[in-house]
Amino acid sequence: MFYLHKVYNWLVYKRGHYSRIFGAVALRKSPNSIIAAIMFFITLVVVAGFVLSEQKQDTEYNRFTALQELSRIRAQLEGLINANLISMRSLRAEFSLNAEVDRERFDQLTAALLSDDLHVRHVAIAPNLIVSHIYPESGNEAAIGLDYRTSPGQYQSVQEAIAAREITINGPIELVQGGTALIARLPVFSQHDGSLWGIVSQVIDYEHLLDDAGVHQSDSLTISLRGANGSGEKGPIISGNPTVWEQNPLTTQVTLPQGYWVLAAQPISGRWAPPLYHYYGWWTLGLVVSLLLSILSFALLNTISKLRSAFATISHQAQYDSLTGLPNRSYFVQHLNDLVRQGNRKAKPFAILFIDLDHFKEINDSLGHEAGDILLQQVAKRIRNTVRLNDVVARFGGDEFVVLVTDLNEPFEAEVIANNIFRALQPILSIENHDVLMQASIGVSVFPNDGTSASDLLKHADLAMYAAKSSGRGTSYFFNESLREQAESHLQLHQEILKGLDREQFSVHYQPIIHSQSNSIVAIEALVRWHHPTLGLISPAHFIPVAEKTGTIREIGQFVLERVCQDYHRLINADLPLRISVNRSSREFNDPNAVNQWIDTLDRYKVPRSCITFEITESILMPDKERQHKMLEALASTGINLAIDDFGTGYSSVTYLRNFPVRQVKIDRAFLHQVPSNTQQVALVKAVIEMSHALQLDIVAEGVETEQQGTALRALHCTFQQGYYYARPLPLDQLIMQFNPHTGISSHRYQL
Ligand code: C2E
Ligand code: MG
Ligand code: MG
């Protein structure tokens, strides 16, 4: 698989390469199919190799069996030759002892020695090298009296036989009597004095001899014999097809008394094994296996490619913002961490510019999200084009962008870049036929002066950005001493809050919520109070925003909820079954376990969920907070009521409201300041009330301070009211004392 992958990478590289050069069509296709095709051919080559080796094995086997057959024929041939020569040896014994030739005895002896199954046509003796007798004589009479010495054709072989003192087989040669045959000659020497007696010759019908030895009868082999006169492979061909000798035949030696013959064989079919295409069984199997393998490798490679691209997409999504294509927070922070680590060594300053678009939410609300998205994309492009290529521009979410500018010579150079960004944003943006003027507030922190860790640098740039916003927007602000002090004071306050919670400096007051028509108390809002031992009563408006930033809001929130649960039972005991509204900060929704924890708390104190309302702000309904939305739905599904607090200060979008399980809307007290004197404001409040009725939402007016406001709201059909006019937030004891239906010294302004 490793090699497969190497091939894959190589092909991917080559694909690009060749596409560039030739615009090649074939390679533009996925390399997977090419690899699969290569796999197919490789397997086919392997199969071909296998078939070749099969063919080789068959060749070896067939040669082996052929050699066995050839050896059998050789053995038979040698046996027959020896059998034919026995008569000569017997005659030699006779004449070496007895030089005199007795014609009768010769005929008798020869007749006895030559049986029918031998191939001897006749035997001749030539005492003193002159043929004196031939058996059988008839037909051979012409040869009698032949003197070898005067017969040049035969004298040489006779002399060779004499020199060899052994049987020599000559031929095939033309006989004097006609026809061709082998002639075996044996010199006979006298036993008495060792002198040459003469020659015994024998004419052998070699055609029959070879037939009987099976030289011409093989079913599978073409056999040839060579080596006339016992001269071996160099001698002339004795029998068989001369082509046998042309291509490396199988050979074996036939041993003669003097010299040898060579038997050679070739398969009749001309080849030792079938041609390659005859192995169709293997070819079919190989083809099927090749196909299967290539399909498998194609499927496997496809899966790998899909996984690869999925991983690439996931890792891209994890590091880049899908809307603008810019790096996201996670990528940025990682990069910043790396830089800080290097920076500690290199000590060249770099700056972080925290950019927040001014009034983006309003534009988003009025033009719609799609327009908002286009705007963010265009802004992203403008910022990106303002800075150098190696500076990092990231989108942190919403309308927040962060730029990392490296290699500064002096920290103030960051201001030049901030001004460039302002300038780049200045030209009017045209979005869906609307002209939009986009401004931004920029906070700057510089390494190493304003922090030596990624989190400090980001936090300080963020603080500076808030400072820029509060100093009038459209400006940049450098992190400075007073901001540092503010940051430090936040840190201090954070510690104080934790200490205060531990030392029970916190308490909860309750402010009544009045039903407009009946003028009766129907619910109360829980508001946290902090009695600091030295600083006195600290307003939640002061410490809650800090607690939200530092995260202690979670501890405060849990404290308030537990206290509310306890007080709920005290109210029931005091015959005041009131619904209790509890403020929940958006920051508390960052903890994914928050919902479970709140439900657990209510269950632990056995407080019915329907008696609790959570007040949340509009910001949590923003579209990019899907996780928080799920939490809201989970909360609502448990029976807890949801109310939108301070309605009108944020996005005031009715569409948001419609999409969430919200039961109640609380109009921010800022809207009531000039009610009923200012008719425009009255109209606004009226519109909000009517909208809430249309959406079947309860509506609460906050901050009712005067009787006129109360009367006006009643006239506008505002269901509920809350404010100093009715009651200030009170400690529980006081609330019970004042509103207990039996003993309560209830205010003259309303009845229960
Ligand atoms: P809120 O939730 O809008 O609470 C109403 C605020 O308006 C309270 O201020 C209340 O005392 C004040 N208020 C009520 N009637 C009137 C009136 O007629 N005139 C004027 N001028 N003010 C009135 P408070 O208690 O100082 O709380 C301020 C904010 O602090 C709250 O605004 C809420 O956002 C936050 N807060 C208070 N308690 C908690 C809490 O337990 N958890 C969280 N997360 N936030 C809390
Ligand atoms: Mg509230
Ligand atoms: Mg409010």
Side-chain angles (χ1 to χ4, degrees), residues 83-101:
N84 278 299
L85 298 180
I86 283 172
S87 55
M88 293 179 81
R89 294 190 194 285
S90 306
L91 289 174
R92 176 171 66 175
E94 173 73 19
F95 295 121
S96 64
L97 287 172
N98 186 6
E100 285 308 308
V101 180

Side-chain angles (χ1 to χ4, degrees), residues 83 97 152-153 240 243 255 271 353 395 415 455 652 706 714 728:
L97 287 172
T243 56
T255 311
R271 42 176 70 245
L353 280 72
R395 180 175 173 231
E415 194 171 357
S455 62
S652 318
T706 63
R714 199 171 297 122
R728 284 183 175 263

Side-chain angles (χ1 to χ4, degrees), residues 525 583 615 645 666 702:
E525 177 177 1
N583 291 287
E615 292 189 6
D645 204 354
K666 296 184 82 172
E702 287 188 299

Side-chain angles (χ1 to χ4, degrees), residues 479-492:
F479 182 73
N480 57 25
E481 263 324 295
S482 84
L483 285 176
R484 185 187 299 279
E485 277 164 22
Q486 190 190 334
E488 277 164 10
S489 87
H490 281 178
L491 203 65
Q492 212 176 340

Side-chain angles (χ1 to χ4, degrees), residues 508-512 524-526 563-564 567 728-730 732 735:
V508 176
H509 286 191
Y510 296 94
Q511 185 176 32
I524 48 178
E525 177 177 1
R563 180 56 56 85
V564 162
D567 291 348
R728 284 183 175 263
L730 301 166
L732 187 78
L735 182 92

